[in-house]
């Protein structure tokens, strides 16, 4: 299995802050890295695919970067609706794997 | 509009069998892989396995191999996840998700609403 490690596991921030979440793969996955947002009681929602491509309808304050083994999700200016848990996912191998998640909380 | 609609919540006893479903609509069912994801209470997402309804090619993550069975019925555009003998540790929310291989990186672009499975004596 390709292991995915996210950091931090939790993060407190205020509305308007810029925050970043990192994800590291145990081996190179090129740019086969996707980011999801999950709110309590809801299914995950695709935010970014192929490391840096914004899914249709996702606000431009979300951005992704990286390739190989190191990736970053950045939220440019936090809005109240952004507080949630974020997961990275590798899609390089047929058996996808997720990072353990980063819970973004309001400070 | 692409939709994945999952079957309703289940409450079962240890040792019982169960089959939950995920019905797809709004696209050609046989042309996209569909995967299953487990989320135990208060925990993260775990990829269980995936099936290609076009030829029933099925792959399982090592942690779930032999523990569950994934199948599909092309006639009703439905994918299934089943257990032959449930354990309390199978208590979780289960999501189905479509893999979009037409998009760079093949992300899971559409998700079902989730099926809560509770296993308790």
């Amino acid at each position: 299995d390709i292991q995915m490690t996210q950091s931090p596991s939790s993060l407190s921030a205020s509305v308007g802050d810029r925050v970043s979440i990192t994800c590291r793969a145990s081996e190179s996955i090129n740019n086969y890295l996707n980011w999801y947002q999950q709110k309590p009681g809801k299914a995950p929602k695709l935010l970014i695919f192929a490391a840096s491509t914004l899914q249709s309808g996702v606000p431009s304050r979300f951005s992704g970067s990286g390739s190989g083994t190191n990736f970053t999700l950045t939220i440019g200016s936090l809005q109240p609706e952004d507080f949630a848990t974020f997961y990275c996912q590798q899609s390089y191998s047929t058996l996808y794997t997720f990072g353990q998640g980063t819970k973004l909380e309001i400070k | 509009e692409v939709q994945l609609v999952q079957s309703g919540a289940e409450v079962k006893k240890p040792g019982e069998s169960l089959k939950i479903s995920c019905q797809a609509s709004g696209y050609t069912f046989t042309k996209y892989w569909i995967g299953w994801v487990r989320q135990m209470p208060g925990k993260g997402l775990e990829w269980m396995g995936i099936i290609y309804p076009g030829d029933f090619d099925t792959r399982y993550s090592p942690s779930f191999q032999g523990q569950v069975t994934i199948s599909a019925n092309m006639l009703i555009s439905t994918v299934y996840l089943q257990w032959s003998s449930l354990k309390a540790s199978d208590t979780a929310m289960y999501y189905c998700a479509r893999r979009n291989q037409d998009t760079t990186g093949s992300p899971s672009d559409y998700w079902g609403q989730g099926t809560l499975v509770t296993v308790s004596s």
Side-chain angles (χ1 to χ4, degrees):
Chain A
D1 288 19
I2 298 175
Q3 307 301 318
M4 306 300 295
T5 304
Q6 273 182 248
S7 61
S9 55
S10 64
L11 180 56
S12 292
S14 302
V15 172
D17 284 353
R18 176 184 177 91
V19 298
S20 292
I21 298 168
T22 63
C23 182
R24 176 170 294 175
S26 60
E27 62 186 81
S28 177
I29 56 172
N30 293 335
N31 68 335
Y32 285 75
L33 191 284
N34 311 306
W35 290 98
Y36 300 85
Q37 178 191 53
Q38 187 181 33
K39 295 183 179 179
K42 299 293 188 183
K45 171 189 170 185
L46 177 65
L47 295 177
I48 288 171
F49 59 92
S52 60
T53 305
L54 211 58
Q55 173 71 341
S56 176
V58 174
S60 58
R61 61 181 178 273
F62 290 92
S63 64
S65 64
S67 66
T69 61
N70 292 304
F71 303 88
T72 301
L73 171 69
T74 299
I75 310 173
S77 176
L78 278 170
Q79 298 302 300
E81 62 268 26
D82 297 339
F83 291 92
T85 301
F86 295 85
Y87 294 92
C88 62
Q89 176 203 51
Q90 66 80 18
S91 51
Y92 183 77
S93 71
T94 302
L95 296 175
Y96 294 179
T97 45
F98 293 94
Q100 77 275 23
T102 296
K103 187 172 184 179
L104 178 57
E105 298 174 305
I106 300 175
K107 187 183 287 184
Chain B
E1 179 195 6
V2 174
Q3 282 193 304
L4 299 177
V5 178
Q6 297 185 227
S7 49
E10 302 273 2
V11 179
K12 292 289 191 179
K13 290 181 169 34
E16 292 186 331
S17 62
L18 176 64
K19 193 174 191 177
I20 63 174
S21 66
C22 168
Q23 184 169 39
S25 61
Y27 70 97
T28 304
F29 176 68
T30 53
K31 293 192 181 299
Y32 294 83
W33 295 78
I34 291 183
W36 286 98
V37 175
R38 182 175 79 175
Q39 188 167 39
M40 299 176 77
K43 302 298 183 183
L45 305 173
E46 300 174 89
W47 188 263
M48 301 176 70
I50 195 167
I51 187 166
Y52 187 70
D55 63 4
F56 304 108
D57 186 2
T58 308
R59 318 281 175 88
Y60 296 92
S61 293
S63 300
F64 295 95
Q65 179 81 48
Q67 307 304 308
V68 295
T69 301
I70 296 171
S71 59
N73 183 331
M74 285 191 286
L75 297 179
I76 56 172
S77 300
T78 299
V79 171
Y80 301 97
L81 177 66
Q82 69 180 94
W83 296 259
S84 58
S85 180
L86 286 160
K87 309 180 194 64
S89 57
D90 293 317
T91 294
M93 181 71 82
Y94 293 88
Y95 295 100
C96 60
R98 188 184 80 157
R99 173 189 177 190
N100 187 354
Q101 62 268 20
D102 296 334
T103 297
T104 305
S106 302
S108 308
D109 61 350
Y110 287 92
W111 293 66
Q113 82 278 17
T115 296
L116 181 62
V117 174
T118 303
V119 184
S120 174
S121 54

